[in-house]
Amino acid sequence: MQFEFASAARIIFGDGSANQLPQLAQEKGRHALLVTDSFQPEAVARLIDTLPSAGLRLTRFPVSGEPTVELIDEAKAAAIAAGCDLVISIGGGSVIDTGKASAALILNDGETLDYLEVIGAGRKLAAAPLPFIALPTTAGTGAEVTKNAVLGSKKHRVKVSLRDNRMLADIALVDPQLTHSVPPAVSASTGMDALTQVLEPFVSHLANPLTDGMCTEGLRRAGRSLRRVYAEPDNAAARSDMALTSLLGGLALANAKLGAVHGFAGVLGGMYDAPHGAICAALLPPVIEANIRALKAREPENPALKRYQYAAQFLLFDRSATDRDAMDWISETGRIFDIPGLRAYGLREDDFDEIVEKSSVSSSMKGNPIALTTNELKAILEAAL
Ligand code: NAD
């Protein structure tokens, strides 16, 4: 057995932990590029108000929507003009990725595109990133502990990653209380992302014993709390479970990769205006079904088949649960959450060829437990319509 595990240098988790931000930030720099959502919930606004009293200068960079290549060029220019020596992100995955990519590129010359996988020149970072502190306010992406930032390119109609081991945050400060204000529709889509991210690394052929422990713990917590954060937004125990599921998913995916759901999601997110989590929700049941069918037909000895079974048992707290039970539970959850099929976001059969071609070369697709054929990939899209 051989594996490697890398994560944020320091992870601090728990209700109220965000109050440590002024002290922690002071230890890392003097002038922060502060990346936030354009709309700030009260708890975030209150936290930001405490930063100047700690002697920290701030250059604000508000973000709306998922980050693009152009947005990172803008954030980098703002940070250079202000002389920032630290980046802090307080927000959802979009805000965290904006901060993470900016921290990586501020000391590296050229444009963001130069450094991107797949659509860019894939240049390596010459200088190490600036110190980076991430505080998630959604429970979905786990981006506070991953080494990539997902960026959209309008020109290439795709989302790709800027990735480097040194992009892992210096501090991931995960305070579930910051997620209490997330509205039900966002709790639903981000929660589905979190669930996907503890399932895909568990069946990935790159899974290792550390990521296995994280995934099974995340599956248990998602099983008991995913529906509860939607129905009871102020339920602190459920919010805490989902914040932890998201964190565990980030830790697992950064070390064991993902699978076909995320292989597709990057491409679909670049082509249509659909929330990342809603894309995951629509794709998850058909991907599980296609993977299990392909494994049974072509690789019946593949350990992923048993792993799907175990995943169902953790998710449903039931030793007799089958992969079919898990698929039914996930589909039913999507219906409770009122998450539409992908046709609602503009997905059309005419685009299937382009989507399959682009998805096949994505980094996440490489974690899928079995290589799916073009026809199998198209059938997944058809089922997610
Ligand atoms: P998001 O950051 O886009 O936020 C979704 C919405 O929720 C926004 O309108 C935002 O303003 C709002 N919001 C955020 N926190 C809130 C709060 N506490 N209260 C009220 N509203 C709040 O959504 P997301 O799902 O967290 O992030 C999606 C992005 O993350 C995508 O670009 C996706 O590709 C990326 N992603 C990155 C990784 C990674 O490892 N880097 C992994 C998965 C996904």
Side-chain angles (χ1 to χ4, degrees), residues 37 66 92-94 97 137-138 141 146 148 159 178 181 190 197:
D37 277 297
E66 298 186 355
S94 297
D97 279 357
T137 64
T138 57
T141 69
T146 63
N148 65 307
K159 282 162 72 174
L178 297 182
S181 53
T190 52
Q197 294 188 162

Side-chain angles (χ1 to χ4, degrees), residues 307-322:
R307 283 172 168 264
Y308 272 119
Q309 208 70 24
Y310 295 143
Q313 292 163 12
F314 281 107
L315 182 68
L316 303 178
F317 287 83
D318 176 355
R319 279 175 191 273
S320 61
T322 63

Side-chain angles (χ1 to χ4, degrees), residues 260 263-264 267-268 271-272 347-362 365 372-382:
F264 275 129
V267 174
L268 293 168
M271 292 174 69
Y272 311 102
L347 178 64
R348 305 172 308 138
E349 280 90 344
D350 287 355
D351 291 340
F352 283 9
D353 285 333
E354 181 185 350
I355 295 166
V356 167
E357 194 190 323
K358 286 179 174 170
S359 306
S360 307
V361 295
S362 74
M365 198 62 96
L372 296 171
T373 65
T374 300
N375 283 342
E376 286 166 340
L377 291 169
K378 284 188 185 168
I380 291 170
L381 291 173
E382 188 73 47

Side-chain angles (χ1 to χ4, degrees), residues 192-217:
M192 282 298 211
D193 188 18
L195 169 61
T196 309
Q197 294 188 162
V198 287
L199 179 59
E200 291 208 297
F202 188 60
V203 296
S204 159
H205 63 94
L206 297 166
N208 70 53
L210 288 185
T211 58
D212 285 350
M214 290 164 178
C215 291
T216 51
E217 185 61 21

Side-chain angles (χ1 to χ4, degrees), residues 86-89 96 99-100 103 130-134 143 167-171:
L86 163 70
V87 179
I88 302 173
S89 283
I96 293 181
K100 196 190 292 182
L130 285 183
F132 175 54
I133 303 178
M167 285 169 62
L168 287 161
D170 292 74
I171 303 172

